[in-house]
Amino acid sequence: MEDHMSDAYQGAQDAEFRSQRAVMERLLPLAVEQAMMSPCAKSKRGALLVDAGGWTGTNRGVVIGKGFNAPPGRHKCDGSDACRAACGRICEHAEAAAIRNAMRYPSVGYGLGCDGLHMLHVKAVEGAAVTSGPPSCEKCSVTMLAHKVSVMWLLRPWGLAAYAMDDFHAETLDNLHLPVIR
């Protein structure tokens, strides 16, 4: 009986994951829309902070925050080689912009953070989503961990991939040849 309960539990977990993936696939065009709003000449990125909801979640698929990568304030992307080379270090990343945008929600802005929320990140070229490389941005990884984002979704060559934040962070650090300390 114990094994049967484990199988049933795993089946529920798999069904939940498929349901969450369906939510993210439905929201992918909105993430692409966000990415296309980016003024960046090098790489247009968009992100959505989503309440993917639990098995019976009533907020399943509600976008809590959205954002795109851009220079801060009145700074501009000039498309120069120097701007392109420094882009990742001098611009606000889409994930941080989505978290900042989510701060308008009392449950996020009043200190509860993004616990339980999922981040969907997409790179867009000519209005279409393109696959991302492996996790490799420590700036975003640290920001999402600090704000308690639960799951990160990336479009990989095989489809949308979900990463628990601790795993995403560890893989990011490993891909950058930085120490992974837990």
Side-chain angles (χ1 to χ4, degrees):
M1 186 67 166
E2 179 90 1
D3 288 338
H4 178 70
M5 287 174 46
S6 296
D7 290 346
Y9 177 76
Q10 184 60 46
Q13 293 290 44
D14 292 346
E16 172 64 8
F17 177 75
R18 285 191 305 274
S19 178
Q20 290 172 348
R21 180 188 303 270
V23 166
M24 294 305 157
E25 287 172 348
R26 179 175 54 80
L27 292 173
L28 197 56
L30 181 57
V32 169
E33 224 176 81
Q34 284 298 299
M36 294 310 297
M37 292 172 66
S38 170
C40 183
K42 178 183 175 188
S43 181
K44 296 183 178 300
R45 309 287 180 127
L48 302 176
L49 191 58
V50 178
D51 184 344
W55 183 247
T56 59
T58 56
N59 291 330
R60 183 179 299 279
V62 172
V63 175
I64 305 297
K66 53 189 176 181
F68 52 86
N69 60 317
R74 296 186 320 200
H75 296 264
K76 303 275 187 244
C77 174
D78 65 11
S80 67
D81 289 343
C83 184
R84 287 171 174 268
C87 176
R89 297 175 62 200
I90 63 174
C91 290
E92 180 179 43
H93 291 206
E95 295 86 342
I99 290 170
R100 183 175 43 78
N101 180 252
M103 292 300 156
R104 71 187 191 284
Y105 278 86
S107 63
V108 175
Y110 296 147
L112 298 178
C114 303
D115 195 20
L117 300 180
H118 293 216
M119 184 72 74
L120 171 61
H121 170 273
V122 69
K123 177 180 178 180
V125 175
E126 297 179 8
V130 298
T131 59
S132 297
S136 61
C137 180
E138 74 279 6
K139 187 175 180 179
C140 289
S141 179
V142 167
T143 298
M144 288 186 292
L145 271 175
H147 288 278
K148 302 176 185 166
V149 172
S150 294
V151 178
M152 175 63 159
W153 291 81
L154 294 175
L155 183 58
R156 303 289 284 132
W158 56 86
L160 280 173
Y163 299 83
M165 274 314 303
D166 282 339
D167 295 338
F168 181 83
H169 184 63
E171 192 168 328
T172 296
L173 297 178
D174 189 52
N175 288 334
L176 295 171
H177 308 291
L178 296 171
V180 178
I181 303 166
R182 290 189 190 226

